[in-house]
Amino acid sequence: QITFYEDRNFQGRSWDCSGDFADMSTYLSRCHSCRVERGCFMVYDRPNYMGNQYFMRRGEYPDYMSMMGMNDCIRSCRMIPMHRGSYRMRIYERENFGGQMHELMDDCDNIMDRYRMNSCMSCNVMDGHWLMYEQPMYRGRQMYMRPGEYRNFTSMGSSGGTRFMSMRRIMDSYH
């Protein structure tokens, strides 16, 4: 469960959420702080799970906008289900599953160092839930990936030509 607050430091009107919500504006006009009681969530700065994404796990975020460098309020959120079992993902150097391909079963902090790949521009997530990062060492913009085929990342609300350089599994220990 996650509780959103209109103002910083858990002030103003609040709203409890325990699932996916494509447009939170019907519940809160703005959102500047939140508490994650249990579970993990991705929050988005645009409705319909679009725009910049931010991973939130159990904890308090009294002013997440300055903590995470967000430019805008949270507009939608998605609960990340707990996954028990193996993790498997194929990453591709180019869009539409082109170029080099490598299969991951664990975290990778730098695809250039590990695989000599310049970037990851498409992927196929077979098992588990993953976070992908624009820069090595799990830095920069994030994108949540659940099982499925991703021929490019533009359709998921990221800017054109988005490339990812590191990725990690969303483990049960985060819940």
Side-chain angles (χ1 to χ4, degrees):
Q1 177 175 316
I2 186 169
T3 304
F4 296 101
Y5 298 85
E6 282 189 329
D7 299 319
R8 288 168 179 79
N9 297 313
F10 318 112
Q11 300 297 307
R13 284 186 17 195
S14 66
W15 176 63
D16 293 329
C17 172
S18 58
D20 297 354
F21 280 88
D23 188 358
M24 293 173 35
S25 63
T26 56
Y27 299 97
L28 293 175
S29 59
R30 62 187 185 277
C31 175
H32 290 285
S33 58
C34 64
R35 276 190 181 103
V36 180
E37 300 294 329
R38 64 182 176 274
C40 296
F41 292 82
M42 284 308 286
V43 296
Y44 304 79
D45 63 5
R46 290 178 31 209
N48 299 313
Y49 319 111
M50 302 294 270
N52 294 312
Q53 305 181 19
Y54 303 89
F55 177 69
M56 295 190 162
R57 61 182 177 190
R58 192 160 38 104
E60 295 193 341
Y61 302 87
D63 183 7
Y64 67 80
M65 289 178 77
S66 63
M67 287 171 54
M68 298 180 176
M70 280 185 86
N71 297 332
D72 204 353
C73 296
I74 294 173
R75 299 291 181 207
S76 54
C77 74
R78 174 166 273 152
M79 188 180 84
I80 300 172
M82 205 179 309
H83 175 76
R84 285 185 169 54
S86 62
Y87 288 78
R88 214 172 91 203
M89 171 171 60
R90 289 188 182 136
I91 59 172
Y92 298 85
E93 191 174 30
R94 294 198 293 271
E95 291 184 344
N96 295 312
F97 313 122
Q100 283 187 66
M101 183 278 289
H102 293 279
E103 190 166 302
L104 279 77
M105 296 180 80
D106 60 353
D107 300 350
C108 178
D109 62 5
N110 189 329
I111 61 172
M112 182 61 159
D113 289 350
R114 188 185 290 185
Y115 300 117
R116 300 289 174 243
M117 278 177 79
N118 291 324
S119 65
C120 168
M121 294 184 70
S122 58
C123 70
N124 181 4
V125 177
M126 281 88 78
D127 295 305
H129 298 261
W130 298 74
L131 279 179
M132 302 198 35
Y133 298 82
E134 214 169 28
Q135 299 169 20
M137 305 307 294
Y138 316 116
R139 300 171 84 103
R141 290 188 358 188
Q142 307 169 3
M143 186 169 282
Y144 166 53
M145 311 302 272
R146 52 190 181 178
E149 291 186 348
Y150 302 92
R151 294 184 170 280
N152 65 59
F153 304 123
T154 308
S155 61
M156 298 178 65
S158 71
S159 57
T162 298
R163 305 163 184 256
F164 292 99
M165 297 298 296
S166 56
M167 49 278 309
R168 71 169 27 141
R169 300 161 293 165
I170 301 175
M171 307 288 287
D172 287 350
S173 58
Y174 292 155
H175 289 266

